[in-house]
């Protein structure tokens, strides 16, 4: 399953407290194929709002266009739980 990880442009930040990195590292740990989509750091973030209903990062877009977004620690837990990511699809 290839997904798109919508995250901030601070790709270089690899600290445990960084929300985008927490989710990205969970994807890496579990060998989930993903593409990074670097989003605007500031401003309105219309694509994020349209897809998730709010402006926060990160969020995941599945191949069928459905999305998954919750707090990053919860997203990372879901990914690390193995096989549960697909259960979190939400229709955009």
């Amino acid at each position: 399953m290839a997904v798109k990880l919508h995250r901030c442009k601070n790709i270089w930040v690899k600290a445990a407290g960084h929300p985008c990195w927490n989710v990205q590292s969970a994807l890496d740990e579990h060998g989930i194929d993903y593409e990074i989509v670097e989003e605007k750091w500031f401003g309105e973030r219309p694509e994020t709002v349209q897809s998730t209903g709010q402006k926060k990062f990160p969020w995941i877009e599945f191949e069928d266009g459905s999305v998954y977004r919750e707090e990053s620690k919860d997203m990372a837990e879901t990914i690390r739980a193995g096989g549960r990511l697909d259960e979190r699809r939400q229709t955009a």
Side-chain angles (χ1 to χ4, degrees):
M1 155 184 36
V3 298
K4 292 182 181 179
L5 173 63
H6 292 258
R7 60 158 295 159
C8 71
K9 292 184 175 200
N10 294 330
I11 304 294
W12 54 272
V13 177
K14 297 184 177 176
H18 190 276
C20 296
W21 174 247
N22 287 340
V23 173
Q24 184 176 347
S25 63
L27 291 170
D28 288 341
E29 288 170 20
H30 285 275
I32 297 172
D33 291 330
Y34 65 92
E35 169 189 339
I36 292 176
V37 179
E38 294 180 31
E39 297 284 355
K40 272 174 76 173
W41 195 16
F42 294 107
E44 294 302 311
R45 301 178 182 164
E47 182 181 359
T48 296
V49 172
Q50 180 181 353
S51 296
T52 68
Q54 46 77 48
K55 292 175 25 172
K56 292 182 179 180
F57 297 131
W59 56 283
I60 291 175
E61 179 182 358
F62 295 94
E63 291 173 330
D64 65 0
S66 61
V67 298
Y68 169 48
R69 165 75 186 118
E70 57 183 339
E71 293 300 316
S72 63
K73 64 182 170 79
D74 298 324
M75 292 178 75
E77 279 181 26
T78 295
I79 294 164
R80 289 185 174 113
R84 292 192 43 223
L85 180 60
D86 196 48
E87 297 171 5
R88 299 298 179 142
R89 293 175 188 246
Q90 296 176 356
T91 306

